[in-house]
Amino acid sequence: YKEYMESLDRITSEQYLSAFFEKHDQEISENTLLMQQNKPEYQFEDVTTIERNARYIQNYIHPVDPLQFYSAEKGDGKLTLEVHNSHRAAFQVKSILYKDSVIHNVDDFYVQPAGTGADGRRMSFKVDTSLMNKNKFYKKLKIQYSTLGVPNDLTTEVFEWQYSDSLGMSELLASRLDNTSDFDFLVFDGDNVIIPAGKTVISKNLTVGRGKTLMVEPGAHIVLTDGASLLSNSPMKAVGTATERISITSENGGRGFLVINAEGLSEMQYVDVSNTRNFKIATWELPGSVNFFQSEVHIDNVNFSNNLEGDDLLNIVRADFQLTNSTFLNTNADAFDGDFVNGKIYNVQFDSIGNDGIDFSGSIVDVRAVNFSNIEDKAVSAGERSSLTCENVDVKNSELAFTSKDDSNIKIWDSKISESQVAYVIFCKKPEYGVGSINVLSTSVESCTKVHLLETNSFLHIDGVSVTDYNDNVESKLYGAEFGKSSK
């Protein structure tokens, strides 16, 4: 089989056919003239036929994503993958890649053609535990293989879920239905679904339907565990007191929560959110641990800290919001990400943030009396025609203090930037928008490596003076190249 496939690849290659037709060109021409003596309109068209067939065979030999790899088991330093072949050819798995570097070489692992009854074969290999626990482990994992007998290199990513019910449809469908009656710890008072004071362990997905209110009593201690998420289609009122705070945390793979399309105001007050993971039900995965989608929310006196997985700790999409008197500490990546939101951030502290402090797209936000310290990427980021007003903002020890991109505008006054790499960054990431702008008044910059990094045609005004010290292709200097943090 290997010899056959190797020969098939050789004789259908462009190089082989080109040499073949060049060698026989004179003979083809002579025979064509002989044919035309009896049939003047005759043309030899089999060259086109052969080329068309060769392209078909080449596409067969070098297919696109013929193999699918699914996570079957993970733990104790070993990862087991289940492989499925959707193609009629056979393949040989060669190596396992992480971030395009080989972490495991595979010997003598062959995948039979589809339809031979060989689907579902498993392969196991050792992986360092710390590597498997990294953020986006599966997104950076690839399998390298080749068509059996053909010296090609094919790569494909690994699906994080198991093949059986690989889309998790049963779980996804179940998550749309209210299942509050399945939880005996809940208290029902009219349309109110109440999580009472004391410790509450949620070990399976909890869904609150529409037309209700999810109430969390002061002193409640909610623990999400065993991969469970909390989903509410109604407003959430988690209102504690200064002496009886509410806590939300996770253990043993517990996730986070989502309030979606709620008709009414959600409130979080005197709440501690810690050690959570991003919301996930089957293949439905959101970037944030705390998510509000098209659901207005007021957040006051809330401490967010130590999220374990996900791109954001707090994520709000298409909603009005207020965030006041709160803290974000030691986040896995972004602290607060908002898309198409309108709101305000007053008297909030951001410290030891793994990526961006606040990151907005298509949003209008008022930022006042906010402190940023130890930010690994951007303290304040505005993109996709966002408009931010920042007053009395203190940025210390940040890679990039204020970043405006893609036709966004940031107005800054009575603020301070210190001990950071770059104070002001303006560039275009998405050409359909264009560059951004920053207007600065009465703001000090101390002990920064660079005051500004500006893409051509961007706008930076400092105390009424335009700055035109431009750089070409600013984006190429960001995201870990020279400044900022890599997003890979």
Side-chain angles (χ1 to χ4, degrees), residues 412-416 440-444 463:
I412 310 164
W413 66 89
D414 294 336
S415 297
K416 180 181 179 179
V440 186
L441 289 173
S442 304
T443 295
S444 64
D463 294 321

Side-chain angles (χ1 to χ4, degrees), residues 131-142:
L131 191 64
M132 281 197 291
N133 291 334
K134 282 185 176 292
N135 185 34
K136 300 181 181 178
F137 168 70
Y138 284 102
K139 292 183 179 179
K140 300 173 184 178
L141 191 69
K142 294 182 180 179

